[in-house]
């Protein structure tokens, strides 16, 4: 049976931008809904849950960051933030609170389409075939990919943002291997890295703090200067 088209909800207060996006993705075969603010977004989601949302950060009243935080606490639906801002702080904050990707206006529609297709493939397909998720243990820590949890040797759970979870999952899957910032950023945010982008460094710094890894002399997540980061300890055999 042919799968039903994905439902995309565009949350954008500018009617021209919203109409252009809606027309483009409808022409691509998606089912599209439109909302001008958070209240309209909630009304639509209550009646017809979406697979992916494109949310403008600069919304009147409740901004896109607030809505993203609210949505991520309730659902694993795909979220792409769309904004005219180029401030790296907004990009980092958006990813940290749960957005899957970030697009700055003016954007190229074909690039946005590619990002949407990639994100929907993960959201609807559950990440593809492969080995079942399992626990990874190191230095007393238990990192459970199935439940998306990290717990200490004392059994205390540590909250991870989506970006931190994705980074730690990639690093622990390649222990002892240097992973470039470009590869880590692509995993975290599905975009290419450039020297001015500090997203990866911020995520690594926060991971180190949560793992109790000394930032001056880290022993778990080590910096390979000019190259990237590596997970320096082997996983415990289970």
């Amino acid at each position: 049976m042919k799968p039903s088209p994905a439902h995309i909800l565009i949350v954008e207060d500018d009617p021209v931008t919203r109409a252009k996006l809606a027309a483009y993705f409808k022409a691509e075969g998606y089912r599209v809904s439109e909302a001008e603010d958070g209240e309209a977004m909630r009304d639509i989601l209550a009646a017809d849950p979406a697979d992916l949302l494109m949310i403008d950060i600069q919304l009147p009243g409740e901004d896109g960051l607030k809505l993203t935080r609210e949505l991520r606490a309730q659902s694993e639906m795909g979220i792409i933030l769309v904004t005219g801002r180029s401030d790296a702080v907004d990009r980092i904050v958006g990813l940290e609170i749960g957005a899957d990707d970030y697009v700055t206006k003016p954007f190229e529609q074909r690039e946005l389409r590619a990002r949407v297709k990639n994100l929907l493939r993960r959201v609807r397909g559950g990440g593809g075939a492969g080995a079942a998720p399992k626990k990874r243990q190191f230095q007393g820590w238990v990192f459970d990919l199935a439940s998306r949890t990290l717990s200490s040797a004392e059994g205390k759970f540590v909250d991870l943002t989506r970006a931190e979870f994705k980074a730690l999952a990639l690093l622990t899957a390649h222990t002892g291997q240097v992973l470039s910032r470009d590869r880590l950023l692509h995993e975290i945010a599905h975009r290419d890295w450039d020297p001015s982008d500090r997203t990866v460094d911020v995520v690594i710094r926060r991971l180190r703090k949560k793992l109790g890894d000394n930032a001056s002399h880290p022993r778990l997540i080590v910096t390979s200067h000019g190259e990237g980061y590596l997970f320096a300890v082997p996983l415990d055999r289970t």
Side-chain angles (χ1 to χ4, degrees), residues 31-51:
R31 192 162 57 86
V32 181
S33 298
E34 303 175 46
E36 69 276 9
D37 56 23
E39 183 177 356
M41 177 198 77
R42 293 186 189 94
D43 288 343
I44 292 171
L45 291 176
D48 188 7
D51 298 292

Side-chain angles (χ1 to χ4, degrees), residues 134-138 141-151 160 164-170 172:
K134 58 183 179 181
K135 295 180 180 179
R136 297 174 184 171
Q137 300 182 34
F138 55 90
W141 292 95
V142 179
F143 182 41
D144 192 330
L145 278 76
S147 62
R148 303 174 72 90
T149 58
L150 176 68
S151 57
L160 295 177
E164 291 162 358
F165 172 83
K166 290 177 181 179
L168 187 58
L170 186 62
T172 54

Side-chain angles (χ1 to χ4, degrees), residues 158-188:
V158 177
D159 290 331
L160 295 177
T161 66
R162 285 171 64 86
E164 291 162 358
F165 172 83
K166 290 177 181 179
L168 187 58
L170 186 62
L171 286 163
T172 54
H174 301 277
T175 58
Q177 299 180 34
V178 176
L179 301 180
S180 67
R181 286 179 173 82
D182 185 72
R183 183 171 181 185
L184 283 162
L185 186 60
H186 192 269
E187 178 69 17
I188 293 169

Side-chain angles (χ1 to χ4, degrees), residues 133-233:
K134 58 183 179 181
K135 295 180 180 179
R136 297 174 184 171
Q137 300 182 34
F138 55 90
Q139 302 289 299
W141 292 95
V142 179
F143 182 41
D144 192 330
L145 278 76
S147 62
R148 303 174 72 90
T149 58
L150 176 68
S151 57
S152 68
E154 294 76 28
K156 295 182 179 179
F157 286 92
V158 177
D159 290 331
L160 295 177
T161 66
R162 285 171 64 86
E164 291 162 358
F165 172 83
K166 290 177 181 179
L168 187 58
L170 186 62
L171 286 163
T172 54
H174 301 277
T175 58
Q177 299 180 34
V178 176
L179 301 180
S180 67
R181 286 179 173 82
D182 185 72
R183 183 171 181 185
L184 283 162
L185 186 60
H186 192 269
E187 178 69 17
I188 293 169
H190 308 286
R191 65 172 69 248
D192 294 330
W193 178 79
D194 67 72
S196 65
D197 196 323
R198 310 307 297 175
T199 303
V200 171
D201 300 312
V202 170
V203 172
I204 295 298
R205 184 173 71 244
R206 293 182 179 179
L207 265 178
R208 283 172 171 163
K209 184 176 181 180
K210 291 182 178 182
L211 289 167
D213 207 9
N214 189 317
S216 300
H217 302 284
R219 57 188 177 82
L220 295 177
I221 304 175
V222 176
T223 303
S224 179
H225 294 288
E227 295 183 276
Y229 296 96
L230 79 154
F231 198 79
V233 299

